[in-house]
Amino acid sequence: MAISEEYRNKLKKLIKNPIIMLLIIAIFLLIALFIIFPLIKVLQISFTNDGKFSLDVYKEVFGNSYMRQGFFNSLLIAGLTALIGTFLGFIFAYTLNRTDIPFKKIFKTIAVIPMVFPPFIGALAIIMLFGFNGLITAKIFGVRNFPVYGLWGLMIAQIVSFFPVAFITLDGVISTISPTLEDAAFNLKANRKQVFFKIILPLSVPGIASTMLVLFIESLADFGNPLILAGSRFPVLSVQAYLQITGMFDLKSGAALAVWLLLPSLIAFIVQKYWVGKKKYITVTGKPNTSTLKSVGPVMKWVLFAVITVISLFILLIYLTIFWGAFTKVWGMNNQITFENFKYVFDVGAESIKDTLLIALTSTPISALLGMVIAFLIVRKTFPLKRTMEFTSLLNFAVPGTVIGIGYILAFNSKPLMLTGTFIILVINFVFRYVPVGIQSGVALLGQIDPAIEEAAYTLGADDKTVFSKITLPLITPAFFSALVYSFVRSMTAISAAIFLVSANWNLMTVQILSQSDSGRLSEACAFSVILIIIIFAFMGILKLFLKNKISLVNSNQR
Amino acid sequence: MSLNLVNLKKVFKSDGVENTAVENFNLDIKEGQLVTFLGPSGCGKTTTLRMVSGFEVPSSGKILLDGKDITNDPPNKRDISMMFQSYALFPHMNVRENIEFGLKLKKMSKKEIKVKADKIIELTGLSGMEKRNPDQISGGQQQRVALARSLVMEPKVLLFDEPLSNLDAKLRENMRLEIRRIQKELNITSIYVTHDQVEAMSISDLIVIMDKGKIMQVGNPYEIYVRPQNKFVADFIGNVNFISGKVTEINENGIKVFNAETKKEFTGYSNQNIKTGDEVYMVIRPEGIYTEKEGRENSLTGKIEKYVFLGSNIELDLRLETGKIIHINEYNMVEKELPVTGKELEVFFGKKNNWIIKK
Ligand SMILES: Nc1ncnc2c1ncn2[C@@H]1O[C@H](COP(=O)(O)OP(=O)(O)OP(=O)(O)O)[C@@H](O)[C@H]1O
Ligand SMILES: [Mg+2]
């Protein structure tokens, strides 16, 4: 018996219900084409020479000490950002969850602010504050050669940019550790130190590890910050790959560098998903936990308060600088208040504002809906290669934008998929890059919804389409909208992959901001950024009005 | 609509380990019958129900509805409604919308939908709550919405998976009667899964006793209780005493069984094909044992171990010389003396109360 009767039955059932089958096949095709194929292209070109398999490109790249340096720098900065970012995020989350300090709401809001800004704004502000004409270094202390370019400046910029990721994950971890566990430990005559080191910390370890890995991946993939801040003094892989391709037109070396960027990222992702992810403790019991807040002593409480105040002020400083910069004539030289920058932006950048908005508004709903559909299939349906679908559809969490960008120009540069330079390629890129968050929040939410609710609909005669649109989708609206907001924000602020895909016809605001700051027009870059922020807030405001505050929008970014 | 389950089997594979949840499952249900599945946790009741409703694909076997093979039809193409243990009400719809959900999919006219829904709302006593959401009504009312939502479809077959297990005892009794009344009134073929013996006894036309994925016995409540076909069924339903023995003689008076420990011979009866020399169990219900002889052919002697007076009856444990404990349930103690612990006592049971099954 080659095929079991059960398998035949399943096939027959599938054939009687072709929508789901076609959908599954279509999604596999899309994943293969827009996620896997570009990656294969990158690998392929980096491993061939004259049409034959060869390691020549790698030999060349690794024979070059400058490029070797890039690899080690990337790992170094990613490691440092992960460690310090997680440490600070933990202090922040712990203080907000386990003490009764004032202004908690304000602190919480500040901690997530960087999420809605383009990731490289941190770098821009750091130059404006600590650079050659920096407000703090040059204007206040008269220091002109403060070493912001390089490791430390970059690290600070990245920590600020990725702080929300660390805070939100760790906040989720600590807030689910039931305070009653601490009470129980106190009851057993443990002191505060013991309670922290024996209870809270061990229970947070999986969350901490997971945060570090995520920060590691984000930092490796970061492109904007190192492009602005690190330059040639502190080469990192993502920038090197970009420069190889756009500066030297050396696609092969660029691809090889991208592969080296991809590897540590993939390893971190797999460790995070399949090892750390499995180790989560569940300490929420469903019973109300009235926190008694005994685990932090009065002195410690104010020390922590001071620390998170400093962090918050620094974050505020970074982003206020951008706003201030947008209204000054020439940052650092002529601080007159002016609106000219905005006029300039509309003159030069009106097209790119329109393009960015159009692309984001097109890709966002597609991405969010696709995320929900994939989540539905993964959680509720059984079909062959289901785990493969899950893994590959989430893969873009781990693939640095630079790699994707290079993959896309390699893959879609010839017929029949001649897409480079078009609107479509940008939309497709954003759809598949930001779909993982939708999938994850959809999967998480669906996991909590009794499958019997959907089964009930089936027994009442509903087909798959009706069940999905009338039952599943309404029940996972919160996940849908958080995916919507997340992918809108990310599409508006994206740079690392998009920079390879923009063209004269279709340009993005982020690319404009980068090129403005590259040519020293910091105030104009700031004005661009401010407009970007206004668009993002307007979008969130409209959604909020539309939803009448039913759903909290700031819970994206979970992994 | 008649429903036939033919040789159903379901094997779950997880991480390479095979787990047979249901096998060798044959059952014929006639139109309008209510059949209960009864058995210990994990014996495959839900799995069988889910195969009938189309949510699990059988590993082998067939499901016939009115003679038509529906084994591979998707759930929404079967005329089978299911009422879930968790109610599974749609949280984002109010009571009326929940009830009308299936009708709307049938593309009925608005008027027709309203007439049908109104009727079922009336029947299930939900009038006045149509506008409320599921989280604004009590557990018992949610239960009724779930029932109404299934019934309004006028399905050919209705499946219930422990529909009353979340309710308190009083409400459970009421709802049980209600389900039975409506089921009879609309003549809907039904399968009803429960853990509760009393529930099964009180509403079923047929009871299916299951263990480890297999059917142990099918019969009406009387047959199941009075004529269990194996030790599992006898033990599972009600309280019971087992005495083992060997058949010595079979005649028109009944079956004679010799028990080696007590060195006594007992008379009983059976509908099984029992032959002289067979090893058997005698199945004796506690309420079939009396303290008066009155023509009963079998007797046992022992010391009173303990007793509990429960008002209408007394539960008494008798320790035989062999050490075995026999449970006795005697009714109406008003005209009798209370037992004395430690005292010797002879008890009697007739052959009608001595049911014999093969080992
Ligand atoms: N999806 C599944 N995958 C693997 N094994 C399963 C699955 N569903 C059920 N089983 C197994 O099949 C067996 C029968 O389960 P089933 O749910 O049918 O029992 P049940 O009789 O309904 O029990 P209960 O009275 O506890 O509801 C059990 O051993 C169970 O662990
Ligand atoms: Mg069950």
Side-chain angles (χ1 to χ4, degrees), chain B residues 41-42 44-47 85 161-162 193 195:
Chain B
S41 189
K45 304 181 294 286
T46 300
T47 305
Q85 178 174 355
D161 193 357
E162 305 194 30
V193 168
H195 264 125

Side-chain angles (χ1 to χ4, degrees), chain A residues 298-365:
Chain A
V299 178
M300 199 56 192
K301 177 177 130 184
W302 293 111
V303 172
L304 290 173
F305 180 75
V307 172
I308 72 166
T309 307
V310 170
I311 298 175
S312 304
L313 287 179
F314 190 75
I315 294 176
L316 279 184
L317 178 65
I318 294 278
Y319 294 100
L320 286 178
T321 303
I322 301 296
F323 279 89
W324 190 1
F327 293 98
T328 52
K329 267 221 156 102
V330 183
W331 179 261
M333 317 285 274
N334 181 348
N335 283 342
Q336 254 183 313
I337 299 284
T338 175
F339 286 95
E340 262 167 48
N341 299 320
F342 288 94
K343 192 172 165 298
Y344 172 83
V345 166
F346 283 114
D347 285 346
V348 194
E351 274 299 313
S352 72
I353 295 176
K354 230 169 54 198
D355 291 355
T356 309
L357 202 53
L358 197 62
I359 291 165
L361 285 177
T362 315
S363 66
T364 296

Side-chain angles (χ1 to χ4, degrees), chain A residues 4-10 12-14 16-17 450 452-464 466-467 470-472 474-475, chain B residues 10-11 50 54-61 72-77 80-82 84 86 88-93 101-102 105 149 153:
Chain A
S4 75
E5 186 172 346
E6 176 167 350
Y7 199 76
R8 264 203 317 266
N9 283 341
K10 278 187 180 159
K12 274 188 209 156
K13 208 165 158 183
L14 212 56
K16 285 193 189 179
N17 193 2
D450 185 359
I453 293 177
E454 283 149 285
E455 289 174 357
Y458 283 112
T459 71
L460 296 171
D463 56 13
D464 287 297
T466 316
V467 170
K470 290 263 168 62
I471 308 291
T472 313
L475 291 180
Chain B
K10 178 72 196 180
V11 182
R50 290 175 63 80
F55 294 117
E56 297 287 357
V57 176
S59 303
S60 64
N72 298 315
D73 287 359
N76 53 314
K77 299 275 162 62
I80 295 178
S81 233
M82 180 143 165
F84 293 84
S86 53
L89 299 180
F90 307 133
H92 55 304
M93 300 180 191
F101 180 84
L105 293 176
R149 189 178 65 178
M153 298 301 290

Side-chain angles (χ1 to χ4, degrees), chain A residues 29-40:
Chain A
L29 284 178
L30 288 174
I31 289 175
L33 192 56
F34 295 116
I35 296 179
I36 308 295
F37 179 54
L39 288 181
I40 290 176

Side-chain angles (χ1 to χ4, degrees), chain A residues 116-134:
Chain A
V116 294
F117 284 79
F120 51 84
I121 286 285
L124 194 57
I126 280 175
I127 288 181
M128 292 164 70
L129 291 169
F130 305 104
F132 184 70
N133 279 323

